[in-house]
């Protein structure tokens, strides 16, 4: 069985061990930073440390168990040359790793692990296209998996057409020339019903954008979607809908 890394630290030991240049930030369950913790419930806190070669951010649940580590390798101008994300399960074992390089092309490799530590799935994405995807059982044997992603009735094009017909830029913001992208997280059950949706990045976009985005999504998801299927078996699914607000150039 492969050796998997484990880490569990108390909040006290974290703070004592932090270098003087480290910062502490709070994040919601989607790993978006939040500053107003009275309005938005924090699910994680993170420590941030940086030197001339790398930026390290470690995310911990509010009970101080580790959830995710992000390491950015920095260039001469402090630009990120590559990023590695490591996710941990509830027991503190590594459950997923993601490696991303930005130059000469945008390339991302995902590795998911089974509970016993063996590789469950690998996925290579280059310039937003899936190049390869492989699945394995707990013994390490490759297995065939046929996945049909969840989608709305009429396909994703139906969603874009619905947006075109129904989304409105808030009139109260017309004079401010603001822009923003509201990211909506959807949760679907195995029958295709959307049972939950909410804004992922509430502090990143104007509240009027959020209200309009939620109004449109609420109307759109009233009809069941086609459920996600794995080898023909319906399963639950998560989906993200980005909704962009901007003033048209010819407005």
């Amino acid at each position: 069985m492969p050796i998997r890394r484990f880490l569990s630290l108390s909040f006290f030991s974290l703070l004592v061990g932090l270098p003087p240049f480290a910062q502490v930030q709070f994040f919601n369950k989607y790993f978006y930073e939040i500053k107003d913790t009275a309005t938005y419930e924090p699910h994680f806190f993170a420590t941030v440390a940086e030197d001339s070669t790398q930026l390290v951010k470690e995310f911990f649940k509010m009970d101080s168990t580790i959830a995710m580590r992000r390491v950015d390798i920095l260039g001469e101008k402090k630009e990120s040359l590559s990023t590695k994300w490591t996710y941990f399960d509830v027991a503190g074992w590594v459950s997923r790793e993601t490696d991303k390089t930005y130059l000469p092309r945008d390339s991302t490799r995902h590795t998911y692990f089974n509970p016993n530590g063996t590789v469950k799935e690998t996925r290579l994405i280059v310039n937003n296209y899936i190049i390869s995807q492989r699945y394995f059982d707990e013994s390490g044997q490759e297995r065939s998996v046929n996945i049909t992603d969840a989608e709305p009735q009429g396909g994703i094009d139906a969603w874009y057409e619905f947006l075109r017909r129904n989304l409105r830029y808030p009139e109260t913001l017309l004079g401010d020339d603001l822009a923003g992208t509201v990211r909506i997280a959807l949760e679907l059950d195995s029958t295709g019903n959307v049972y939950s949706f909410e804004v992922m990045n509430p502090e990143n976009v104007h509240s009027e954008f959020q209200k309009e985005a939620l109004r449109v999504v609420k109307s759109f998801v009233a009809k069941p979607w086609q459920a996600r299927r794995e080898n023909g078996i319906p399963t639950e699914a998560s989906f993200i809908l980005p909704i962009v607000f901007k003033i048209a150039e010819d407005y």
Side-chain angles (χ1 to χ4, degrees):
M1 180 183 298
I3 298 175
R4 301 173 66 187
R5 286 170 292 174
F6 176 81
L7 179 60
S8 179
L9 297 173
S10 69
F11 186 50
F12 175 77
S13 64
L14 276 172
L15 295 181
V16 169
L18 288 178
F21 48 83
Q23 311 168 38
V24 177
Q25 302 169 328
F26 292 94
F27 295 79
N28 65 15
K29 65 181 180 181
Y30 301 109
F31 291 101
Y32 279 92
E33 184 178 3
I34 55 174
K35 299 183 183 299
D36 184 0
T37 55
T39 301
Y40 304 107
E41 180 185 1
H43 285 252
F44 307 100
F45 66 89
T47 61
V48 183
E50 181 179 358
D51 60 25
S52 60
T53 61
Q54 65 180 9
L55 174 68
V56 180
K57 182 178 290 187
E58 291 189 314
F59 294 79
F60 298 85
K61 298 177 184 178
M62 300 310 291
D63 64 3
S64 299
T65 56
I66 193 165
M68 190 258 282
R69 177 187 297 115
R70 170 176 175 162
V71 179
D72 286 83
I73 303 302
L74 305 177
E76 294 181 357
K77 298 180 180 180
K78 295 294 185 180
E79 76 278 17
S80 181
L81 302 177
S82 65
T83 306
K84 183 182 183 69
W85 293 266
T86 304
Y87 296 84
F88 301 85
D89 62 21
V90 294
W93 301 107
V94 175
S95 62
R96 171 184 164 192
E97 291 182 336
T98 298
D99 295 274
K100 186 178 183 69
T101 57
Y102 302 96
L103 294 173
R105 60 182 182 176
D106 191 307
S107 175
T108 304
R109 183 179 297 277
H110 298 282
T111 304
Y112 299 82
F113 297 93
N114 287 305
N116 69 349
T118 59
V119 173
K120 177 182 181 180
E121 176 189 347
T122 62
R123 188 186 311 163
L124 175 62
I125 301 174
V126 177
N127 294 333
N128 295 320
Y129 289 95
I130 296 178
I131 303 301
S132 66
Q133 195 165 8
R134 302 173 67 190
Y135 300 88
F136 305 86
D137 61 24
E138 292 194 354
S139 68
Q141 295 296 313
E142 188 167 2
R143 65 189 184 99
S144 176
V145 177
N146 181 24
I147 292 179
T148 303
D149 289 327
E151 66 175 12
Q153 296 182 27
I156 197 64
D157 288 342
W159 162 244
Y160 293 134
E161 178 63 17
F162 188 87
L163 271 186
R164 188 184 69 81
R165 291 178 177 272
N166 294 278
L167 187 66
R168 299 290 179 266
Y169 190 97
E171 292 186 1
T172 55
L173 302 181
L174 286 175
D176 298 328
D177 194 25
L178 296 178
T181 298
V182 181
R183 298 178 67 82
I184 304 291
L186 307 180
E187 297 293 335
L188 294 81
D189 63 22
S190 59
T191 67
N193 287 309
V194 178
Y195 63 86
S196 173
F197 59 91
E198 62 181 332
V199 176
M200 300 174 65
N201 56 333
E203 288 193 347
N204 291 1
V205 288
H206 198 283
S207 60
E208 291 299 315
F209 290 155
Q210 297 179 50
K211 291 178 183 178
E212 176 63 6
L214 290 171
R215 180 192 70 82
V216 172
V217 169
K218 181 179 181 179
S219 177
F220 183 73
V221 302
K223 296 181 179 180
W225 288 33
Q226 294 182 27
R228 177 185 184 275
R229 291 178 178 271
E230 184 171 325
N231 288 338
I233 301 174
T235 65
E236 295 184 346
S238 300
F239 207 89
I240 297 175
L241 293 176
I243 302 177
V244 179
F245 291 87
K246 63 180 179 180
I247 297 291
E249 294 180 359
D250 59 349
Y251 187 85

